[in-house]
Amino acid sequence: LMPQNDVPAVQDLPAWILTQLPNMSFSAHMYASEPQERWVRVNGRRVEEGQEVEQGVRLLGIEPQHVILVYKGQEISMEALSEW
């Protein structure tokens, strides 16, 4: 399943981003049709859409199989329950 809007997967990003991106470990993924009910657990913290995951990394959206993050203006797609 491809993420929406052709957002690149984390492993396909340019090296300058990969070397700076903080470690993220997703341990829970709650997708719901109502946006306010969506959340993920990352690095032990519950994060909702629009909130910051780690320094400079914001959670843009939670999809059924992916999360969409933004870091320094670059949108990033990560599979649900993955680690970086």
Side-chain angles (χ1 to χ4, degrees):
L1 217 103
M2 283 297 295
Q4 296 173 345
N5 305 331
D6 298 324
V7 176
V10 67
Q11 61 269 20
D12 298 332
L13 293 172
W16 72 265
I17 294 184
L18 297 181
T19 56
Q20 298 177 31
L21 203 58
N23 289 337
M24 293 175 283
S25 175
F26 290 85
S27 56
H29 184 97
M30 181 63 201
Y31 175 82
S33 53
E34 295 294 324
Q36 65 269 24
E37 296 177 13
R38 300 175 194 167
W39 59 274
V40 293
R41 189 171 305 283
V42 55
N43 297 350
R45 288 178 34 244
R46 179 181 164 132
V47 182
E48 298 174 5
E49 291 180 330
Q51 294 181 331
E52 198 170 67
V53 175
E54 284 296 328
Q55 184 76 39
V57 181
R58 186 167 302 282
L59 178 64
L60 284 187
I62 299 169
E63 298 179 2
Q65 305 296 327
H66 295 86
V67 292
I68 306 296
L69 307 162
V70 63
Y71 178 70
K72 296 190 175 180
Q74 172 68 60
E75 290 189 5
I76 304 164
S77 169
M78 285 183 68
E79 287 186 26
L81 302 179
S82 59
E83 291 191 19
W84 173 253

